[in-house]
Amino acid sequence: MFRTTAASPRLTDRRPVLTVTQMISQTFDTGGTRLDDPVTTAFLPAVVASGGLAFRPGALERPGNTYSAMIERLSPAFAELRGPVDLVVLAYATPDAVPGAVAGPLATAVLPGNPSAFAVTDQGVAAPFTALALAELYAARTGLERIVVLLLDQASFPYEVPDSPAVRVDGDAVVVLVLERPGADDGRGGYEIQQDSGVPAAEFTERIGRLWKQLADDEDTPVLFGPGVDPAWSLPISAVDVRHVAPGQPGTGLWREAAARHSGTARGTVVLIDLDPSTGDLSGCRLDTGAPPR
């Protein structure tokens, strides 16, 4: 329901080609897309039942936010980008509010440059990390200058979802990452992605500690843990600044915290780590958010 494939291990392990020059974060209230049209009300209960799930009573009565609608509301910010976009990569841990909705073409239409588009799905909390790793590979192999990564969450589900912090969705949100080659940035640095799959539960804490050591400069490097990392675990790390992101937005929550650092005064290197306990998919990102403003 939330993932069908394993995370790709260690997609990037070299000097970064791209820098993160801008991060935009936005949450959304109740949407304006009705989900109770005749086609949807006939289609969804049958599909949910075929998957052995219980249809949630009244699930289609609350208007939702489709990914396309959320992206369209960010159009003014996209218009301010300082050049054409070569590629847009969408990543989400949960399906769209409307079956069959496709957000990629809309993203291509509202971004300058009419970029190509593809999406990373069915990877749970690993999807944002995989999207960033793939963007890096595309830039390295094809010479692309500017890539936009869109991370999305939406909470309109017609069925009950697992009560797990790693997949629970409480709200709708988008995080935009603008990636550019060095020389086009504003003083911010690059990023590095490390991923592994199938980590045994008995090794969770050890492997998280090992990943932190690989990505952090030293114990002064802040670390942000996603909802898949239990705050009650005793982790073998010596970081001074540790923050656990609250569950509820598996695709964007961790990255909203990073966006706040990227646009604020607490800049520098930060390490982001998240885990899907049900699959053992462990992902980490070393993100250089640039020098603090003077």
Side-chain angles (χ1 to χ4, degrees):
M1 178 165 53
F2 287 98
R3 48 176 305 109
T4 58
T5 58
S8 302
R10 199 163 296 184
L11 284 175
T12 62
D13 194 8
R14 71 174 92 84
R15 183 175 178 82
V17 174
L18 299 170
T19 62
V20 181
T21 60
Q22 187 176 1
M23 296 182 74
I24 304 167
S25 173
Q26 184 167 334
T27 57
F28 299 86
D29 295 326
T30 301
T33 302
R34 295 188 62 87
L35 307 178
D36 58 353
D37 62 274
V39 174
T40 302
T41 53
F43 175 77
L44 274 182
V47 171
V48 170
S50 69
L53 300 172
F55 191 78
R56 182 185 296 168
L60 303 181
E61 296 175 1
R62 170 186 177 272
N65 284 303
T66 63
Y67 290 146
S68 293
M70 289 189 281
I71 292 171
E72 190 167 23
R73 287 174 63 179
L74 288 171
S75 296
F78 296 147
E80 296 179 2
L81 295 179
R82 54 192 171 194
V85 176
D86 300 309
L87 174 70
V88 55
V89 184
L90 294 81
Y92 38 90
T94 54
D96 209 335
V98 175
V102 182
L106 188 280
T108 295
V110 299
L111 284 165
N114 192 33
S116 302
F118 68 84
V120 177
T121 67
D122 298 324
Q123 289 209 350
V125 296
F129 297 89
T130 301
L132 284 168
L134 290 174
E136 178 81 5
L137 288 176
Y138 263 76
R141 294 180 180 180
T142 65
L144 300 182
E145 295 289 334
R146 184 176 291 106
I147 298 175
V148 168
V149 174
L150 300 175
L151 312 179
L152 305 115
D153 274 321
Q154 73 82 26
S156 298
F157 292 99
Y159 45 80
E160 298 297 332
V161 298
D163 186 18
S164 167
V167 299
R168 194 180 83 221
V169 187
D170 295 334
D172 304 339
V174 176
V175 174
V176 182
L177 297 95
V178 181
L179 315 178
E180 300 179 87
R181 287 182 175 271
D185 64 7
D186 59 355
R188 295 169 172 85
Y191 64 89
E192 177 187 355
I193 301 293
Q194 298 284 347
Q195 291 182 284
D196 205 354
S197 59
V199 176
E203 300 179 14
F204 281 172
T205 57
E206 174 198 349
R207 298 285 282 275
I208 290 171
R210 187 189 310 173
L211 180 60
W212 173 79
K213 290 179 181 178
Q214 291 173 341
L215 295 173
D217 294 331
D218 50 43
E219 64 182 14
D220 292 325
T221 302
V223 57
L224 302 175
F225 288 118
V229 179
D230 193 331
W233 290 346
S234 178
L235 300 174
I237 67 172
S238 56
V240 175
D241 184 357
V242 177
R243 180 176 300 181
H244 288 264
V245 176
Q249 292 183 327
T252 62
L254 183 63
W255 303 90
R256 288 178 58 205
E257 290 288 337
R261 288 177 176 269
H262 195 267
S263 61
T265 58
R267 296 183 188 171
T269 301
V270 61
V271 171
L272 295 82
I273 296 176
D274 211 345
L275 170 75
D276 187 334
S278 66
T279 61
D281 291 337
L282 177 63
S283 301
C285 174
R286 180 188 185 277
L287 175 64
D288 183 352
T289 60
R294 296 180 179 179

